[in-house]
Coordinates of all heavy atoms in Angstrom, one line a residue:
L4 N 3.5 9.3 -12.2 CA 2.7 8.4 -11.4 C 3.5 7.1 -11.3 O 4.0 6.6 -12.3 CB 1.4 8.1 -12.1 CG 0.4 9.3 -12.2 CD1 -0.8 8.9 -13.0 CD2 0.0 9.8 -10.8
G10 N 1.9 -8.4 -7.6 CA 2.6 -9.6 -7.3 C 1.7 -10.8 -7.6 O 0.7 -10.7 -8.2
L11 N 2.2 -12.0 -7.1 CA 1.5 -13.2 -7.3 C 0.7 -13.5 -6.1 O 1.2 -13.5 -4.9 CB 2.5 -14.4 -7.5 CG 2.0 -15.8 -7.6 CD1 1.1 -15.9 -8.8 CD2 3.1 -16.8 -7.6
L18 N -4.8 -8.1 -2.4 CA -3.6 -7.2 -2.6 C -4.0 -5.8 -2.5 O -5.2 -5.5 -2.8 CB -3.0 -7.5 -4.0 CG -2.1 -8.6 -4.2 CD1 -1.7 -8.6 -5.7 CD2 -0.8 -8.5 -3.4
L20 N -2.8 -2.2 -4.1 CA -2.0 -1.4 -5.0 C -1.9 0.0 -4.6 O -2.9 0.6 -4.1 CB -2.5 -1.5 -6.5 CG -2.7 -2.9 -7.0 CD1 -3.2 -2.8 -8.5 CD2 -1.5 -3.8 -6.9
F29 N -1.9 16.9 -6.6 CA -2.7 15.7 -6.6 C -4.1 15.9 -6.1 O -5.1 15.3 -6.7 CB -2.0 14.7 -5.7 CG -2.6 13.3 -5.6 CD1 -2.6 12.4 -6.6 CD2 -3.2 13.0 -4.4 CE1 -3.2 11.2 -6.5 CE2 -3.8 11.7 -4.3 CZ -3.8 10.8 -5.3
S30 N -4.3 16.7 -5.1 CA -5.6 16.8 -4.5 C -6.6 17.5 -5.4 O -7.8 17.6 -5.1 CB -5.5 17.5 -3.2 OG -4.9 18.8 -3.3
M34 N -8.9 10.6 -10.1 CA -7.9 9.6 -10.5 C -8.6 8.3 -10.9 O -9.8 8.1 -10.5 CB -7.0 9.3 -9.4 CG -6.1 10.5 -8.9 SD -4.8 10.9 -10.1 CE -3.8 9.4 -10.1
Q39 N -4.9 -4.1 -17.9 CA -4.9 -4.7 -19.3 C -4.4 -6.2 -19.1 O -3.3 -6.4 -18.6 CB -3.9 -4.0 -20.2 CG -3.9 -4.5 -21.6 CD -3.3 -3.6 -22.6 OE1 -2.5 -2.7 -22.2 NE2 -3.6 -3.8 -23.9
R45 N -7.1 -2.6 -22.9 CA -7.2 -2.0 -21.5 C -8.6 -1.7 -21.2 O -9.4 -1.2 -22.0 CB -6.3 -0.8 -21.5 CG -6.2 -0.1 -20.2 CD -5.1 1.0 -20.2 NE -5.2 2.0 -21.3 CZ -4.3 2.7 -21.7 NH1 -3.1 2.6 -21.2 NH2 -4.5 3.6 -22.7
A49 N -11.6 1.6 -11.9 CA -12.2 2.3 -10.8 C -11.9 3.8 -11.0 O -10.9 4.2 -11.6 CB -11.7 1.8 -9.5
D73 N -5.2 9.1 -0.3 CA -4.7 9.9 0.8 C -4.1 11.2 0.2 O -2.9 11.1 -0.3 CB -3.7 9.1 1.7 CG -3.3 9.9 2.9 OD1 -3.4 11.1 2.9 OD2 -2.8 9.3 3.9
E89 N -9.1 -14.3 -13.5 CA -9.4 -13.3 -14.5 C -9.1 -11.9 -14.1 O -9.2 -11.0 -15.0 CB -10.9 -13.4 -14.9 CG -11.9 -13.3 -13.8 CD -12.4 -14.7 -13.4 OE1 -11.5 -15.6 -13.2 OE2 -13.6 -14.8 -13.1
S95 N -2.7 0.0 -14.0 CA -2.1 1.3 -14.2 C -3.0 2.4 -13.6 O -4.2 2.3 -13.7 CB -1.8 1.6 -15.6 OG -1.0 0.6 -16.2
N102 N -6.0 20.3 -20.6 CA -5.2 20.7 -21.8 C -4.6 19.5 -22.5 O -3.5 19.5 -23.0 CB -4.1 21.7 -21.4 CG -4.6 23.0 -20.8 OD1 -5.6 23.5 -21.3 ND2 -4.0 23.5 -19.8
Q109 N 3.7 3.4 -15.0 CA 4.3 2.3 -15.8 C 3.6 1.0 -15.6 O 3.8 0.1 -16.4 CB 5.8 2.2 -15.3 CG 6.0 1.3 -14.1 CD 5.6 1.9 -12.8 OE1 5.2 3.1 -12.7 NE2 5.6 1.1 -11.7

Side-chain angles (χ1 to χ4, degrees):
L4 298 173
L11 174 64
L18 276 178
L20 306 183
F29 179 72
S30 60
M34 297 289 295
Q39 186 165 20
R45 183 166 57 199
D73 185 337
E89 51 264 43
S95 300
N102 294 323
Q109 84 288 351

